[in-house]
Amino acid sequence: MPLYEYTCHDCHVTFDILRPMSQADAPIECTHCHGSNTIRAISLFAAHSLDELGGTQSLSGGNGGCATCGSPSSCSTCGIA
Ligand SMILES: [Zn+2]
């Protein structure tokens, strides 16, 4: 089951949830404030798959990190825009 990342617009907490792909964009309750004002961010499952398949062409040099903003460590802000 894919791991999806969601961000809450009310308390700005980011949380990861394992759920079926068919429910990826279904509304989900914030794990912090239990509000419903949440949005799906980057799929970590897809991000890891892309890293494994195309590591030699990674924008950050193949050492992981965020391919969107180039941050050397995991980035939880990209994809929210
Ligand atoms: Zn919240």
Side-chain angles (χ1 to χ4, degrees), residues 20-80:
M21 290 180 72
S22 60
Q23 295 180 23
D25 290 314
I28 189 167
E29 183 179 273
C30 173
T31 56
H32 185 71
C33 70
H34 300 289
S36 58
N37 193 15
T38 56
I39 186 172
R40 183 163 66 93
I42 299 172
S43 167
L44 298 181
F45 177 80
H48 284 307
S49 297
L50 287 172
D51 195 44
E52 291 174 6
L53 293 173
T56 56
Q57 296 181 354
S58 171
L59 292 175
S60 59
N63 272 332
C66 179
T68 303
C69 70
S71 171
S73 58
S74 64
C75 176
S76 62
T77 57
C78 286
I80 300 172

Side-chain angles (χ1 to χ4, degrees), residues 8-13 15 30-35 38:
C8 175
H9 284 305
D10 290 335
C11 62
H12 301 106
V13 159
F15 53 96
C30 173
T31 56
H32 185 71
C33 70
H34 300 289
T38 56

